[in-house]
Amino acid sequence: MSPSEPPRFFSEKEVANHSTKNSCWVLTGTRIYDVTGFLRIHPGGEALILSRSGNDIRTEMEGPPHRHSENARRWMEQYYIGELDTDGSADEIQMARERKKTQEHTVDEGPSPISKCSQVNLDTDLVDWRKPLAWQVGNLGEKYETWVHQPVDRPIRLFGNEFMEASTKTSWYMVPAVWMPLVFYLNWYCYTTLAQETTRLFASTDYSFLVHKYSFPLIFVMGMVIWTFIEYCIHRFVFHMRPPAHNYYLITIHFLLHGQHHKSPYDGSRLVFPPCLASVVIGSFYLLLTKAFPEALGVSLFVGGLFGYVVYDMIHYYLHYGSPQKNSYLYSLKAYHVKHHFEHQRAGFGISTTLWDYPFNTLIPEQTF
């Protein structure tokens, strides 16, 4: 509902009727929230919310075992739909609504998904959401860091130009569709090339040795491990750089690269990398590895890393939109990544694995969800 609209009132009976996957309401005190759209992306799983539907969840919000962050509470306000009737007038109000609907021959469908995702106050927010954001955020200066880490559940438009806007959006299935054929081809190429037994490491020295075809699986896995380190470094040092408050261009670049994802973490069209942008980075690593090592060895490492990148992008998408089984690896990884978005933006930089957060001391403290 719009911040300027008066709150709607609902009776306890009305609230109790909304306790299914198709319509799930919860309360904090007298405030009512329609969290239907949040069920699938809740890090603790939809069953946790459904078991508390129609009830006051203030105790669960405060913990233990998990005290929800200010960002999580702010996020929840986007699903606010009204107040619990405490003086018995809700039935009268509801009857008046029904009479009005009959008179106008219309059907009141309640708050639309758009309105539930639009709790940004268009009159007071630091940017104008009615215009593309790309060229506005650079003017936020020292306020940018706080603003970008106050997430909202609504789509972001970056550019006014339709082609530029479309180029920033990618469906998740485009990543395997574009890169997996190349992975399969390079796997075949590397194995058959190594099978010729002409690839030697340190070939110009007395310590040269043959890179055998049977070592390809090990080299492939090494490439995947190298990718996890690259993933960590890019996420930590590039995506989470702190642009100088006085530098309009660096703030804009940061927002385009990663800030927009933290501002709107459930914008499904921007959860994976567009192939055109990814190809620049992927091509650079291909050239680096083939120059540093014999070609077949360098390509073998590269294809392992490329497969690791595809796995990373698929996992990242799933962590935002999937519903992993409780106590599974992906379940803990989803909870870990959600904490990165809502509580610990300066930690938890591993996405497909938390491996590198350990030696670099950026591990998010473990909490039970």
Side-chain angles (χ1 to χ4, degrees), residues 219-230 304-305 308 355-356:
I219 299 170
F220 183 91
V221 171
M222 288 176 60
M224 291 185 65
V225 174
I226 290 172
W227 162 255
T228 64
F229 179 68
I230 294 171
L355 172 66
W356 300 105

Side-chain angles (χ1 to χ4, degrees), residues 90-301:
D91 290 337
E92 296 179 9
I93 296 172
Q94 182 63 22
M95 291 176 62
R97 289 197 201 120
E98 294 297 329
R99 286 196 297 270
K100 183 177 180 181
K101 286 189 292 184
T102 302
Q103 293 169 357
E104 297 177 355
H105 302 286
T106 61
V107 177
D108 181 8
E109 298 179 349
S112 70
I114 296 292
S115 68
K116 286 189 291 185
C117 295
S118 303
Q119 291 302 307
V120 173
N121 191 319
L122 299 179
D123 297 321
T124 61
D125 199 78
L126 297 178
V127 298
D128 187 350
W129 287 83
R130 290 160 291 205
K131 299 177 181 178
L133 299 188
W135 312 126
Q136 298 185 61
V137 294
N139 296 316
L140 294 180
E142 61 185 14
K143 297 179 182 178
Y144 171 75
E145 184 71 16
T146 300
W147 176 86
V148 81
H149 288 129
Q150 294 176 347
V152 297
D153 187 9
R154 60 168 293 158
I156 284 179
R157 185 174 183 91
L158 294 176
F159 300 104
N161 181 275
E162 294 296 338
F163 176 78
M164 291 181 66
E165 178 69 9
S167 67
T168 67
K169 298 181 177 182
T170 308
S171 299
W172 69 266
Y173 53 80
M174 288 302 296
V175 174
V178 170
W179 298 115
M180 285 308 294
L182 182 59
V183 169
F184 289 131
Y185 168 75
L186 290 179
N187 270 281
W188 171 84
Y189 169 80
C190 292
Y191 185 80
T192 55
T193 303
L194 292 176
Q196 298 174 10
E197 298 187 350
T198 58
T199 302
R200 304 188 70 87
L201 193 60
F202 308 119
S204 60
T205 70
D206 296 334
Y207 304 100
S208 69
F209 59 89
L210 178 68
V211 181
H212 202 277
K213 64 180 180 180
Y214 295 126
S215 64
F216 173 70
L218 177 60
I219 299 170
F220 183 91
V221 171
M222 288 176 60
M224 291 185 65
V225 174
I226 290 172
W227 162 255
T228 64
F229 179 68
I230 294 171
E231 166 199 319
Y232 175 89
C233 290
I234 291 176
H235 191 193
R236 179 179 180 180
F237 299 111
V238 179
F239 291 169
H240 279 274
M241 68 171 181
R242 288 194 174 186
H246 62 276
N247 196 311
Y248 172 92
Y249 298 102
L250 283 180
I251 292 176
T252 302
I253 291 172
H254 178 268
F255 185 71
L256 294 176
L257 284 177
H258 197 60
Q260 48 86 14
H261 174 54
H262 270 261
K263 189 63 182 176
S264 181
Y266 292 103
D267 187 344
S269 63
R270 291 196 175 97
L271 287 177
V272 297
F273 278 97
C276 289
L277 176 61
S279 64
V280 176
V281 180
I282 290 171
S284 299
F285 282 109
Y286 174 83
L287 293 175
L288 178 63
L289 289 171
T290 53
K291 292 296 182 182
F293 300 98
E295 183 184 11
L297 177 58
V299 176
S300 298
L301 287 169

